[in-house]
Amino acid sequence: MLQGLVLLLGFQFAGELFARLLDLPIPGNVIGMAMLLVALAAGVVKQESISEAGELLLKYMALFFVPAGVGVMLYFELIAREWLPIIVGTVVSTFVVMAVTGWVEQLLGGDSD
Amino acid sequence: MTELLSSPLFGVVLTLVTFRLAELLYRRSGFILFNPVFVSICAIIAILKVSQISYADYARGGDLILFLLGPSVVALALPLWQRREQVLKRKLPILAGVCAGALASIASAAGTAWLLGASPEVVLSLVPKSVTTPIAIGISEQIGGIVPLTAALVVLTGCLGAICGPEFCRLIGIRKPTSLGLAIGTASHGIGTARVLAEDRLAGAVSGLAIGLNGLTTAVVVPLLWFVFGWN
């Protein structure tokens, strides 16, 4: 468990470092995910050594977004000022993206497994 | 009393208890609008507003929970690795889907807001709303959006995908786990992914991949468009 957590945090740290050194606009945790994938493919990291900690974190991932969401309360006035275009734009666009992305993938990839 | 409020324990306990209750409510009712993340956010905001507790007091504990988001995103490599064969088999459709989705996101968000008469800064703030927060903030800053507004809209977009993304996708005929996961990950980043992952491993794996791919695509495309069309 601890080993897995250390590895995951280590990859996140490496990702943050990489992003900063190269001045990339990509978050360190996303780079860390890519690095971990490469390490798994190269056999440097064994899946078993991170699965216990990783699965636990993934199981509760939704919870970790809650504090970020509560931060929205600071910006209610900002949204209220032009609420109609903001809300309609966000809602319409979210559904458009899902439809376009899913349809393109399914059309090009086919329905078969 | 005030000492206890400014201890990190307050924010941690409030978040955990609220989330646990929200999860029970969701399971018992099976009502999609009772999505645990969405309900918890609304409930905590209401509690803080009513009891006049500042966001800063809450955040001392909230930040501790938020910290765990970092290693969880790294852990998204795990489902992706386990389902690598199925994902690689559809690598071209997946890449094409994300590119189409990223462009559709920029055009539809900016277009709708502009048609409804939003001010230019608001239109620009909406552009990166489907991208994971740190990338979205960077893009918003770069093109002259209102950064806190973008951050708030990223959360809203995520909740929307978590609340009804899978239902909407099935309704319009998106059924393949790779298509559904890609659609929700591209539109609703991590918050959408968290729900998809709990329901289907392959869809969750692709959804996690989509967070990175859409972030990358949008981060490259928006400055390019901005350069070409000279938005400001």
Side-chain angles (χ1 to χ4, degrees):
Chain A
M1 180 73 193
L2 189 61
Q3 185 198 11
L5 199 58
V6 169
L7 276 168
L8 290 170
L9 288 170
F11 274 96
Q12 190 192 349
F13 187 80
E16 302 280 1
L17 200 65
F18 189 79
R20 255 160 241 203
L21 286 178
L22 297 185
D23 208 14
L24 294 174
I26 313 295
N29 51 24
V30 173
I31 297 178
M33 166 171 63
M35 286 174 156
L36 176 55
L37 212 50
V38 172
L40 284 166
V44 182
V45 172
K46 289 270 165 283
Q47 199 192 138
E48 297 72 45
S49 54
I50 46 162
S51 55
E52 203 186 334
E55 294 300 343
L56 190 71
L57 286 170
L58 289 176
K59 190 175 164 206
Y60 292 108
M61 194 170 170
L63 164 70
F64 308 146
F65 281 103
V66 171
V70 176
V72 172
M73 71 184 276
L74 298 173
Y75 309 112
F76 277 157
E77 280 116 76
L78 217 54
I79 296 177
R81 240 187 283 155
E82 295 183 42
W83 67 272
L84 187 78
I86 290 175
I87 301 296
V88 176
T90 303
V91 173
V92 166
S93 174
T94 304
F95 288 117
V96 167
V97 179
M98 282 195 272
V100 170
T101 310
W103 279 337
V104 167
E105 203 277 349
Q106 201 163 266
L107 207 71
L108 295 178
D111 264 340
S112 61
D113 281 294
Chain B
M1 187 63 189
T2 42
E3 287 149 41
L4 192 59
L5 283 182
S6 51
S7 135
L9 198 59
F10 166 68
V12 170
V13 171
L14 178 61
T15 311
L16 290 178
V17 170
T18 311
F19 189 76
R20 189 76 196 107
L21 291 174
E23 233 180 15
L24 283 174
L25 175 71
Y26 181 63
R27 276 195 211 144
R28 292 271 162 86
S29 69
F31 183 42
I32 55 169
L33 210 59
F34 289 162
N35 174 270
V37 178
F38 181 64
V39 168
S40 301
I41 292 171
C42 296
I44 294 172
I45 290 179
I47 292 168
L48 295 178
K49 290 266 183 196
V50 168
S51 53
Q52 295 188 315
I53 297 168
S54 74
Y55 174 74
D57 278 337
Y58 167 74
R60 263 186 285 275
D63 285 346
L64 291 181
I65 290 177
L66 188 60
F67 176 78
L68 292 171
L69 189 58
S72 335
V73 171
V74 177
L76 283 170
L78 212 53
L80 202 51
W81 174 248
Q82 290 157 353
R83 296 288 181 273
R84 61 190 178 279
E85 276 158 33
Q86 284 152 290
V87 174
L88 280 173
K89 226 192 279 173
R90 288 172 80 97
K91 56 183 180 298
L92 286 176
I94 285 174
L95 287 175
V98 169
C99 287
L103 290 173
S105 175
I106 297 164
S108 62
T112 311
W114 180 74
L115 281 175
L116 291 171
S119 61
E121 309 89 69
V122 167
V123 171
L124 293 173
S125 310
L126 266 132
V127 165
K129 61 117 191 57
S130 278
V131 170
T132 186
T133 306
I135 302 184
I137 286 176
I139 295 173
S140 183
E141 207 167 34
Q142 199 176 15
I143 60 177
I146 307 160
V147 172
L149 181 59
T150 299
L153 296 180
V154 170
V155 173
L156 192 66
T157 306
C159 284
L160 206 56
I163 289 169
C164 60
E167 288 75 16
F168 174 74
C169 284
R170 281 181 212 116
L171 190 74
I172 61 167
I174 298 168
R175 282 162 208 282
K176 285 280 306 174
T178 48
S179 321
L180 186 133
L182 195 76
I184 294 167
T186 303
S188 294
H189 52 89
I191 306 183
T193 300
R195 174 172 169 197
V196 176
L197 195 60
E199 293 173 7
D200 184 295
R201 195 75 179 165
L202 176 59
V206 178
S207 190
L209 176 65
I211 301 173
L213 290 179
N214 187 24
L216 206 63
T217 312
T218 310
V220 170
V221 166
V222 170
L224 264 175
L225 285 174
W226 193 61
F227 178 73
V228 172
F229 294 107
W231 292 348
N232 49 45

